[in-house]
Amino acid sequence: MRDTQLVTHTLKSHGIIVAKTHMHNWLILILLGVILVVLKCINPFYRFVGEDMMSDLRYPLKSNTVPTWSVPIYSILLPIVVFLLFYFRRRDVYDLHHATLGLLFSILITAVLTDAIKNAVGRPRPDFFWRCFPDGKDAYDRWGNVICHGNQSVIREGHKSFPSGHTSRSFSGLGFLSLYLSGKIKAFDRRGHVAKLCLVLLPLLVASLVGVSRVDDYWHHWQDVFAGGLLGFIVTIFCYLQFFPPPYHVNGWKAYTHIQALDDLQANANNEQASATEIETEPRTSSLAREEDIEAGRS
C-alpha cells in the first residue's frame, strides 16, 4: 500500500524538484569533468627508459580490440538504459536520478584518479619500443636514456600504462550496474536462485574481458589491468552506497530516499491515527463529565 502511494514520484511531477535539490552534486560533476579535461592536456612523467629495459617493451604496436569510443557506450549509456527500464516499471524518479548520479560520480571520480596516477607514474607501455622507434632503430643518450624519434603524441601516450583506463572505467560503470541489478532483483534474498547471481556477474565478466583485451593488445602490463579494475570497483562501491543500501540488505532494492519516504509516510499515518484517537476520546470524556454533573445535581 505505501509503495503504491510512492509511485506518483515521476519525472513530470518531481523531476525538477529532485534536480534542484541535488544541484550542488551536478555542479561537482561538472567540476570533475573540467579536472579530467585538464589532466588530459598535461604531459605524463617521462620515466627513464634504458636499453636493458627494452626487452620487456618490444611487443607489437596494435590497434585496440575495444575502441576508446565504445567505453562510454557500455559503461555509461548501457547502465542508464537499464535504469530507465526500471523507472518505466516503478515510476520512481528518485531511483532513476540517484542511480544516474551515482553512476556518473563513479565514472568521473575513477577517470580523474586514473588519469592523475597515469601522469604521475609515467610507466611505459609494453609496445613502447615501436612507439619510440617506429623504424626499429633505437638511440640512447650518454646516460642510457632513450632518444625517441617517433610521433610525439604516440610517444606521449606510450608513457600512460599504469593503471589501465579502459579497465578502471569498465569496472566502474559495469560494476555499478552489477550492484544495481543485485539490489533490484534481490539476488541475495537467501532463496538460492543462482540465475540471479549469473545475471549480476555478467557485467563484471564483460569488464574482466575488457581488461584481458588490454593485455592481449599489448597496451598494458597485467599489473596495470589489475590495479585499474581494483580502483574502478572500489570507487563504484563507495559511490553506490551513497545512494543505495548494500544489495544484501532487506531494503537493498530501494534508494535511501525511497526508504525515507516510506518512513515519513508511516509516521504521518501514525500521527493521523493518534489524532483521530484523541478526537474520539475527548467527546467520550466530556459526556462522562456531564453525566457525573447531572448525577451530582440530583443528589
Side-chain angles (χ1 to χ4, degrees):
M1 177 69 73
R2 291 180 297 159
D3 282 351
T4 303
Q5 298 180 39
L6 289 176
V7 174
T8 56
H9 292 168
T10 63
L11 276 170
K12 185 177 181 180
S13 63
H14 288 75
I16 297 178
I17 296 175
V18 175
K20 287 183 177 179
T21 304
H22 295 271
M23 184 64 69
H24 61 287
N25 286 325
W26 291 101
L27 292 176
I28 293 174
L29 283 176
I30 294 175
L31 177 61
L32 288 172
V34 172
I35 295 174
L36 184 60
V37 171
V38 173
L39 289 172
K40 291 290 186 182
C41 298
I42 297 176
N43 286 325
F45 173 62
Y46 280 35
R47 183 174 295 278
F48 177 91
V49 183
E51 184 175 4
D52 59 335
M53 302 170 61
M54 281 298 179
S55 59
D56 294 330
L57 305 176
R58 287 178 177 266
Y59 291 92
L61 180 58
K62 298 174 58 178
S63 58
N64 293 307
T65 300
V66 180
T68 302
W69 57 263
S70 68
V71 177
I73 294 178
Y74 67 76
S75 65
I76 299 178
L77 294 183
L78 175 61
I80 290 178
V81 169
V82 175
F83 302 159
L84 286 170
L85 292 176
F86 277 99
Y87 168 76
F88 289 136
R89 180 186 177 188
R90 297 192 57 83
R91 301 289 179 179
D92 184 1
V93 69
Y94 289 102
D95 182 87
L96 174 63
H97 177 271
H98 293 346
T100 304
L101 191 62
L103 173 69
L104 294 179
F105 263 117
S106 178
I107 289 290
L108 284 176
I109 292 175
T110 298
V112 168
L113 292 176
T114 300
D115 286 6
I117 296 172
K118 277 179 178 288
N119 289 339
V121 175
R123 185 183 190 184
R125 296 184 185 273
D127 57 9
F128 182 78
F129 178 89
W130 297 105
R131 291 174 179 271
C132 188
F133 312 117
D135 56 1
K137 299 178 181 179
D138 51 345
Y140 306 90
D141 59 21
R142 60 175 180 171
W143 293 282
N145 194 22
V146 292
I147 302 177
C148 296
H149 50 261
N151 184 286
Q152 289 301 313
S153 62
V154 176
I155 297 172
R156 180 174 178 269
E157 189 64 28
H159 283 276
K160 294 186 175 183
S161 186
F162 182 88
S164 169
H166 273 63
T167 310
S168 66
R169 288 166 173 80
S170 297
F171 271 92
S172 179
L174 294 177
F176 194 97
L177 176 60
S178 179
L179 292 171
Y180 182 84
L181 287 175
S182 63
K184 284 292 178 288
I185 66 176
K186 302 179 182 178
F188 303 103
D189 58 1
R190 300 181 183 180
R191 296 184 180 180
H193 297 301
V194 182
K196 292 183 178 181
L197 192 60
C198 292
L199 180 61
V200 168
L201 293 177
L202 182 59
L204 296 179
L205 173 61
V206 174
S208 299
L209 292 177
V210 171
V212 171
S213 75
R214 304 308 288 162
V215 178
D216 292 345
D217 293 339
Y218 308 121
W219 276 64
H220 288 284
H221 309 274
W222 72 266
Q223 299 95 332
D224 310 333
V225 170
F226 180 81
L230 188 62
L231 173 64
F233 197 59
I234 289 176
V235 171
T236 205
I237 290 174
F238 277 106
C239 291
Y240 181 83
L241 293 179
Q242 290 295 312
F243 300 98
F244 297 90
Y248 54 82
H249 193 273
V250 65
N251 290 322
W253 60 276
K254 306 174 185 176
Y256 282 127
T257 50
H258 189 122
I259 298 173
Q260 184 61 47
L262 289 177
D263 292 340
D264 293 343
L265 193 63
Q266 182 64 50
N268 292 334
N270 293 338
N271 291 335
E272 291 176 0
Q273 183 177 2
S275 299
T277 303
E278 291 178 359
I279 293 174
E280 183 180 353
T281 303
E282 286 180 359
R284 291 181 179 178
T285 304
S286 300
S287 176
L288 289 174
R290 285 195 298 271
E291 289 178 3
E292 292 177 355
D293 291 341
I294 293 173
E295 291 295 333
R298 290 176 178 176
S299 300

